[in-house]
């Protein structure tokens, strides 16, 4: 694991151009860490990503540190993603200005004999590399720590990820779907869902400093082609599902089988904009190491593909934080805890619809 925190440039963070969030919601959300890329996505070339409507560029220095900056040259507003990286510097394609790892401009090629003004500098952001992910916080003042995911760093667990995927939904809707225990027996019958078992037993939600915790048993029904074999004559398999949510959009689901077998599923939803989410999804598993990685990942891709059309078509696209806007049943305890918790972060009705 590498853990290097890079500091942001001391420039007041301004709202992105064409921001789709209400300003107060954006300022709340900007105070949290979000995955920007899996570590392997940033090697020898800069990567361009949008986070909370902000256009960002990230690159790895020769020392291995990752720099996250606004994708905008302050000379004439050209995206730096049109330029290139040379050593530890970004070079703008338009007039060749160079920017170093702390954002300072190091060279103005048209006037090399003159000193570079101090104010000529790129906005950079706080970033940290952990769990094989580059995380960034736009405000530079994280309101909470990264999620606590020990299995993701445990050498007894095989860790595998799918490439980030984008859905046309809000981050909140995607996370709530991940926390929803009532839909397994309906939309997941092609993978693990058991149509014979739609009843959701009462479960408790325990709130904690980062978010909440809940545990829930499910008698899954895996088809013959599944990588997870049944342990019963009727083809079902008993799962103990342990959820831990870290506000605002990161979840860990440890699916426990008998004899200490844990299949951890990690889902961090990144709000690209108000109605678009990028999902960072990986698993960590301490058994069945003989199963080919692609088989395991294809299994997870199949489950996500079952969720996607539902979530992308929910209306409103954003999660209604006002509990009176949708109807809640007993099995929605995690959802109501989630919506209430988001409200407590300071997100308002504008975030909802
Ligand atoms: S716009 Fe970047 S150097 Fe001129
Ligand atoms: Fe699902």
């Amino acid at each position: 694991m590498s853990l290097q925190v890079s500091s942001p440039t001391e420039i007041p963070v301004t709202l992105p151009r064409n921001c789709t969030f209400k300003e107060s919601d954006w300022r709340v959300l900007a105070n949290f860490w979000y995955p920007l890329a899996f570590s392997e996505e940033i090697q020898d070339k800069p990567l361009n990503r949008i986070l909370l409507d902000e256009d960002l560029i990230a690159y790895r220095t020769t020392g291995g540190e990752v720099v996250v900056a606004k994708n905008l040259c302050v000379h004439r507003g050209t995206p730096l993603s049109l330029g290139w990286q040379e050593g530890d510097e970004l070079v703008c394609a338009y007039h060749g200005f160079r920017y170093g790892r702390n954002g300072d401009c190091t060279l103005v090629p048209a006037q090399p004999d003159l000193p570079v003004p101090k104010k000529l500098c790129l906005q950079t952001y706080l970033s940290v590399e952990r769990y094989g992910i580059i995380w960034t916080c736009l405000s530079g003042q994280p309101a909470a720590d990264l999620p606590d995911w020990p299995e993701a760093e445990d050498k007894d667990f095989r860790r595998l990820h799918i490439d980030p995927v984008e859905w046309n939904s809000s981050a909140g809707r995607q996370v709530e779907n991940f926390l929803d225990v009532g839909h397994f027996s309906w939309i997941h019958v092609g993978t693990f869902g058991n149509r014979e078992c739609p009843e959701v037993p009462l479960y408790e939600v325990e709130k904690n400093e980062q978010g909440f915790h809940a545990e829930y048993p499910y008698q899954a029904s895996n088809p013959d082609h599944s990588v997870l074999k049944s342990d019963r004559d009727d083809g079902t398999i008993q799962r103990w599902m342990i959820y831990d949510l870290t506000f605002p959009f990161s979840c860990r689901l440890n699916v426990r089988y008998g004899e200490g077998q844990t299949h951890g599923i990690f889902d961090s939803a990144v709000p690209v904009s108000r109605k678009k989410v990028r999902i960072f999804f990986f698993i960590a598993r301490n058994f069945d190491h003989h199963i080919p990685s692609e088989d395991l990942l294809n299994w997870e891709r199949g489950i996500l593909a079952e969720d996607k059309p539902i979530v992308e078509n929910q209306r409103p696209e954003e999660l209604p934080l006002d509990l009176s806007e949708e109807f809640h049943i007993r099995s929605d305890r995690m959802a109501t805890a989630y919506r209430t918790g988001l409200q407590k972060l300071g997100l308002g009705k504008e975030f909802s619809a």
Side-chain angles (χ1 to χ4, degrees):
M1 179 200 80
S2 79
L3 185 62
Q4 298 172 316
V5 181
S6 71
S7 304
T9 319
E10 301 247 336
I11 300 173
V13 175
T14 52
L15 231 54
R17 276 172 60 76
N18 305 320
C19 183
T20 55
F21 297 89
K22 184 184 171 192
E23 178 170 354
S24 60
D25 287 342
W26 190 90
R27 293 200 179 280
V28 169
L29 294 171
N31 288 331
F32 292 90
W33 291 105
Y34 299 99
L36 189 69
F38 284 112
S39 295
E40 68 190 41
E41 292 185 278
I42 306 180
Q43 293 301 334
D44 52 1
K45 277 207 306 268
L47 180 81
N48 178 207
R49 284 266 154 90
I50 309 283
L51 165 63
L52 288 169
D53 291 313
E54 190 58 86
D55 191 0
L56 302 174
I57 187 164
Y59 70 100
R60 200 177 282 281
T61 65
T62 48
E65 181 193 5
V66 171
V67 175
V68 180
K70 194 172 207 151
N71 186 25
L72 188 86
C73 176
V74 290
H75 179 221
R76 286 294 179 270
T78 305
L80 286 156
S81 51
L82 296 179
W84 59 91
Q85 178 180 352
E86 258 183 56
D88 288 353
E89 296 182 324
L90 286 175
V91 184
C92 180
Y94 199 2
H95 309 95
F97 284 27
R98 284 170 177 262
Y99 297 95
R101 63 171 73 183
N102 57 3
D104 292 347
C105 180
T106 57
L107 178 69
V108 177
Q111 49 181 41
D113 49 326
L114 296 179
V116 179
K118 275 259 173 294
K119 282 193 168 168
L120 214 172
C121 120
L122 206 59
Q123 167 87 64
T124 62
Y125 300 95
L126 198 62
S127 67
V128 64
E129 189 162 8
R130 187 141 186 220
Y131 308 131
I133 289 172
I134 314 295
W135 304 75
T136 193
C137 171
L138 294 184
S139 77
Q141 297 172 324
D145 293 335
L146 293 178
D148 184 21
W149 290 339
E151 301 83 1
E153 297 173 326
D154 187 327
K155 61 178 176 20
D156 292 335
F157 284 69
R158 179 163 47 146
R159 187 188 173 291
L160 301 167
H161 72 81
I162 60 173
D163 291 337
V165 290
E166 287 188 0
W167 288 5
N168 291 316
S169 79
S170 61
R173 286 282 194 197
Q174 196 277 326
V175 170
E176 194 174 277
N177 164 256
F178 191 84
L179 299 170
D180 184 291
V181 295
H183 75 291
F184 301 154
S185 301
W186 300 98
I187 66 171
H188 289 307
V189 287
T191 48
F192 68 93
N194 182 355
R195 187 58 63 83
E196 305 304 312
C197 215
E199 186 176 340
V200 177
L202 184 65
Y203 64 90
E204 301 297 328
V205 178
E206 290 165 33
K207 295 187 179 135
N208 53 42
E209 210 171 301
Q210 286 199 310
F212 55 77
H213 171 95
E215 303 193 7
Y216 171 77
Y218 186 66
Q219 187 105 339
S221 174
N222 292 348
D224 292 344
H225 67 265
S226 164
V227 293
L228 298 162
K229 300 299 176 211
S230 167
D231 55 357
R232 299 177 181 218
D233 293 342
D234 65 358
T236 63
I237 182 166
Q238 186 64 39
R239 289 173 152 206
W240 189 253
M241 307 181 75
I242 305 166
Y243 289 88
D244 283 282
L245 173 98
T246 303
F247 282 116
F249 305 123
S250 290
C251 312
R252 176 188 60 188
L253 165 58
N254 274 341
V255 181
R256 295 246 166 92
Y257 299 94
E259 297 165 16
Q261 297 177 327
T262 299
H263 177 92
I265 305 172
F266 302 79
D267 180 298
S268 200
V270 176
V272 175
S273 62
R274 185 167 158 156
K275 296 181 184 179
K276 181 169 280 244
V277 60
R278 183 180 303 114
I279 305 164
F280 285 78
F281 186 97
F282 68 94
I283 59 172
R285 183 178 168 96
N286 68 352
F287 64 104
D288 279 357
H289 291 322
H290 63 283
I291 296 177
S293 301
E294 265 312 292
D295 289 358
L296 285 170
L297 291 175
N298 281 335
W299 169 256
E300 300 295 345
R301 287 184 185 108
I303 296 170
L304 282 169
E306 290 169 329
D307 287 311
K308 184 179 179 201
I310 298 282
V311 177
E312 287 194 329
N313 286 290
Q314 286 178 284
R315 295 293 178 272
E317 291 89 338
E318 303 91 337
L319 200 62
L321 300 191
D322 181 340
L323 294 187
S324 69
E325 286 183 41
E326 288 184 332
F327 199 85
H328 308 280
I329 59 173
R330 191 183 67 182
S331 58
D332 295 324
R333 283 186 164 194
M334 269 194 277
T336 51
Y338 185 50
R339 293 180 187 201
T340 308
L342 287 177
Q343 263 188 332
K344 284 196 180 141
L345 297 183
L347 295 169
K349 285 195 76 161
E350 283 298 317
F351 179 72
S352 59

